Amino acid sequence: MRKLNSPYIVKCIDSFFLRDNLYIVTEYCEGGDLFDTTRKFKEAGLKLEDDFIFKVFIEICLAVSECHDNDNGRYPTPLADAQCLRSTLDTAIHL
């Protein structure tokens, strides 16, 4: 995961085991995650704009493509491990 360098994937800073638990340290994601974003809209009685949904979909596709391009059969899909995407709006979206 540390070798990935994409504007659509949150960067992995470090990882370590502590008491049989794996901890993954990532860059700070000011925008929060996608679940929280959709929940806030729902609680406010608002709907996500089609442009936003389309943008998120495109960024997910680009992130998955980046993971597969860098796979070389050595890494598990980082997207499944990190479950985060970086938005081009200078915020991050976590899945």
Side-chain angles (χ1 to χ4, degrees):
M1 282 177 35
R2 285 186 215 157
K3 293 183 180 187
L4 286 173
N5 187 15
S6 170
Y8 305 107
I9 302 172
V10 174
K11 290 175 182 35
C12 176
I13 309 285
D14 196 11
S15 63
F16 58 93
F17 282 94
L18 182 64
R19 295 186 201 111
D20 296 328
N21 293 309
L22 172 63
Y23 293 88
I24 300 174
V25 180
T26 63
E27 67 183 327
Y28 177 69
C29 301
E30 184 177 334
D33 61 31
L34 185 57
F35 177 79
D36 287 338
T37 300
T38 56
R39 183 176 45 85
K40 287 174 188 173
F41 270 79
K42 184 177 180 181
E43 288 173 356
L46 302 172
K47 292 186 178 182
L48 295 170
E49 297 288 328
D50 289 344
D51 289 346
F52 175 79
I53 295 168
F54 183 71
K55 180 178 180 354
V56 170
F57 176 74
I58 294 298
E59 289 181 3
I60 290 170
C61 292
L62 291 169
V64 170
S65 176
E66 184 74 26
C67 291
H68 287 282
D69 289 347
N70 288 295
D71 182 18
N72 295 327
R74 296 180 297 168
Y75 306 108
T77 303
L79 185 60
D81 293 340
Q83 296 184 343
C84 349
L85 297 178
R86 181 188 240 345
S87 171
T88 55
L89 296 173
D90 293 329
T91 61
I93 300 170
H94 295 268
L95 295 181

